[in-house]
Structures are given as structure tokens and as C-alpha cells.
Amino acid sequence: MPQRAQNTPVCRDCDGFATAAITTGTRNRDGSRATLRVTCPACQGTGTARPARVREVARV
């Protein structure tokens, strides 16, 4: 029987890939590349989106 996937909202800015490693072009002393880890500013590195706020409408 197939399992159902959880309905987790994915961040629109990073598509769920919340952290990226960017090479700087330089190398460390051991020969490996120097990298920077950058997290998505919209989801703070979680990869999930916040639920949309529900707008309340005043009835007159």
C-alpha cells in the first residue's frame, strides 16, 4: 500500500533547499576549497514556509 506524503509547506524563496555552500575560489592549506554556508533569509534555514495569515473581515 502506498504511503502518503506529508503536506509540509515548502519555502517559496529556496524551494526547500535552505542552506547552500558557495565556493569562494580560494583553497585552504590542505588543498580543499574554501566555502561559505549561506542560509535562506526568508525561512531562516528551515526550508518550510510559515502558514499564510488569515485575514479577518469586519462585518457591518
Side-chain angles (χ1 to χ4, degrees):
M1 180 176 274
Q3 294 180 356
R4 294 184 179 223
Q6 293 179 348
N7 189 10
T8 306
V10 178
C11 177
R12 283 193 268 166
D13 295 327
C14 66
D15 288 332
F17 298 98
T19 304
I22 301 171
T23 60
T24 61
T26 59
R27 293 191 180 265
N28 295 327
R29 290 181 187 228
D30 63 353
S32 62
R33 294 201 180 260
T35 58
L36 300 172
R37 289 183 56 142
V38 182
T39 58
C40 175
C43 64
Q44 286 84 30
T46 61
T48 58
R50 294 184 194 158
R53 281 195 277 171
V54 178
R55 182 196 255 170
E56 294 182 19
V57 179
R59 294 185 186 201
V60 188

